[in-house]
Amino acid sequence: MKPPHSLRKKPGALPPELASGLQLYKMGLLQEAERLFQTFLRNRPTHADALHLCGLTVHAQGRHQEAAHLIERAIARDASRATFHLNLALCFAALGQQAALHHLQVAVKIQPDLVDAWFNLGVLHSQKQDHVAAAANYRKVLALAPDHLTALNNLGELLARQGQHDEAARLLSHALILSPDLTDAQYNL
């Protein structure tokens, strides 16, 4: 699964304390970011963005159950945010819980162009050996982001294993044009 994403394209839309915490998160200063988010939550314990961002930070530190709880609380406040569902799915996937699939499906229903959710659906279906669904999800990723290296590689590998060598070679060759050092694509080709 891909690492979680924060969802905020406009950090200015966040309260300043959360924007500062998000910057710390992006810099990899996870404990510092968590402290800022927790301080904010002491005063505003039901703030959806703060709950979500704190959950992301906790998840990045490997505390997946705690992260899931925080993001579930964020969803309880605002269930319309696709990225909340995406990141909750990533927590559940890290915990090996089936609920990951449900939340990825909710994420793409809310935001059909959410590439990371489609990609992670492909990964989950691949892990479950549901190759038809995995291929469909990787194709959706490539329809939205034609140069998505990992989707090109994963779909190419999947198709090669199914004997669809021409299409697999086309996808893997495209991945290598984009990134000549992509060893997975070299191996799969």
Side-chain angles (χ1 to χ4, degrees), residues 156 159-172 188-189:
L159 293 174
R161 282 190 274 132
Q162 294 178 330
Q164 298 178 41
H165 299 292
D166 291 342
E167 187 178 0
R170 183 183 59 77
L171 292 166
L172 295 168
N188 291 325
L189 190 59

Side-chain angles (χ1 to χ4, degrees), residues 6 13 27 40 50 60 69 75 80 84 99-100 106 109 116 128 142 154 159 172:
S6 78
M27 293 168 43
F40 186 90
H69 177 69
I75 289 172
S80 70
F84 287 10
V106 171
K109 185 175 182 183
D116 288 339
K128 294 177 180 218
L142 295 173
N154 289 7
L159 293 174
L172 295 168

